[in-house]
């Protein structure tokens, strides 16, 4: 059985990993003033976003995740002809409608795929499974990485789905923003009251930043840190402890809303890299999606890993 993966564009993973595993990306349209960006994790499009200096004015942008019709088209014109079973992994359904779109599209895909395959020499059934990673950005990476590992083991789709659901329920996505004013402006545009004006003003004045977590579909602050670089060091130190304690998937993904060359210069990165090397854990660096930067601002850092349930103290 030929297994495949499809993800939505706001799942942060390195482009090389996406290409190596032939992962289909369901795009998101980002409209900023008169400019339109196709967020499909294309490095050239991300660079165009930076070159046009969109970060400072993108909080009023509108985003349009891949529609039901576009998902159907991707599958019926491409994936059902290339794969026998495709797992679709999306960011948490509590923060985006893409999961709902994919589920709705799956009904039409599973109804019409035989007509498409019968026109070729493709025998047998086609399976489509939808997984909510219950996290965002780099927090969605562990389940996707695990899927690529499971495909090599020859397990059944049912067994793979069960394992991916377990990993999704135990995936942690942490984010450290740079600009609280931007974060509040964007939240206000979307009707999200999670970042209040008082918190934004006081946080910016004192350089206090919230440490945010996405876990099991819930997103919110779990701590406060003084300054971005200090916050990164605190976050990396916490991840090092989790790496030594043992991860469910041997991978830690970092995504950054800026030049990736800056990430290894951040305080604590070398220690994190050493811990990952020691424990044979892949440390993956990925650009934050355009959608991610629009929603949380340029310069934000996110970290994703999967681990048994634990209490995080910051």
């Amino acid at each position: 059985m030929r297994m495949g993966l499809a993800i939505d564009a706001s799942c942060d993973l390195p482009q090389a990993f996406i290409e190596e595993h032939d992962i289909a990306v369901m795009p998101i349209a980002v409209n900023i003033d008169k400019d339109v960006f196709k967020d499909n994790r294309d490095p050239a499009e991300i660079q165009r976003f930076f070159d046009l200096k969109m970060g400072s004015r993108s909080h009023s942008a509108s985003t349009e995740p891949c529609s039901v019709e576009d998902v159907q088209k991707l599958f019926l014109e491409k994936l059902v002809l290339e794969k026998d079973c495709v797992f679709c992994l999306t960011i948490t359904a509590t923060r985006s409608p893409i999961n709902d779109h994919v589920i709705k599209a799956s009904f039409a895909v599973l109804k019409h795929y035989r007509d498409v395959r019968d026109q070729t020499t493709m025998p047998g059934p086609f399976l489509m499974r939808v997984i909510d990673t219950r996290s965002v950005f780099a927090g969605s990476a562990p389940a996707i990485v695990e899927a690529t590992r499971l495909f090599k083991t020859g397990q059944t789709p049912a067994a793979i789905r069960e394992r991916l659901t377990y990993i999704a329920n135990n995936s942690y996505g942490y984010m450290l923003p740079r600009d609280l004013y931007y974060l509040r402006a964007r939240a206000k545009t979307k009707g999200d009251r999670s970042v209040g004006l008082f918190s934004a003003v006081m946080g910016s004045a004192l350089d206090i930043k919230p440490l945010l977590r996405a876990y099991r579909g819930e997103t919110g602050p779990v701590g406060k840190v003084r300054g971005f670089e200090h916050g990164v060091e605190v976050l990396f130190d916490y991840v090092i402890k989790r790496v030594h304690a043992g991860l469910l998937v041997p991978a830690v993904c970092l995504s950054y809303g800026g030049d990736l060359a800056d990430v290894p210069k951040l305080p604590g990165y070398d220690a994190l890299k050493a811990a990952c090397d020691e424990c044979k854990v892949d440390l993956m660096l990925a650009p934050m999606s355009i959608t991610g930067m629009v929603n949380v601002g340029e310069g934000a850092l996110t970290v994703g890993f999967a681990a048994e349930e634990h209490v995080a103290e910051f």
Side-chain angles (χ1 to χ4, degrees), residues 87 98 227 238-239 246 248 278 294:
F87 283 83
I98 184 63
Y238 158 69
V239 178
L248 295 173
E278 178 186 348
V294 162

Side-chain angles (χ1 to χ4, degrees), residues 184-244:
R184 178 191 178 272
R186 179 61 183 170
K188 184 178 179 181
T189 299
K190 298 184 69 176
D192 187 341
R193 299 178 178 273
S194 59
V195 182
L197 176 60
F198 179 78
S199 295
V201 171
M202 291 302 295
S204 296
L206 301 174
D207 201 20
I208 295 174
K209 301 184 184 302
L211 189 56
L212 306 170
R213 184 182 73 178
Y215 175 63
R216 294 184 178 174
E218 299 292 330
T219 57
V222 291
K224 294 181 180 180
V225 291
R226 178 67 65 86
F228 181 81
E229 292 203 347
H230 171 65
V232 170
E233 192 169 22
V234 169
L235 181 56
F236 283 174
D237 182 62
Y238 158 69
V239 178
I240 289 171
K241 293 176 182 176
R242 300 322 311 168
V243 168
H244 284 302

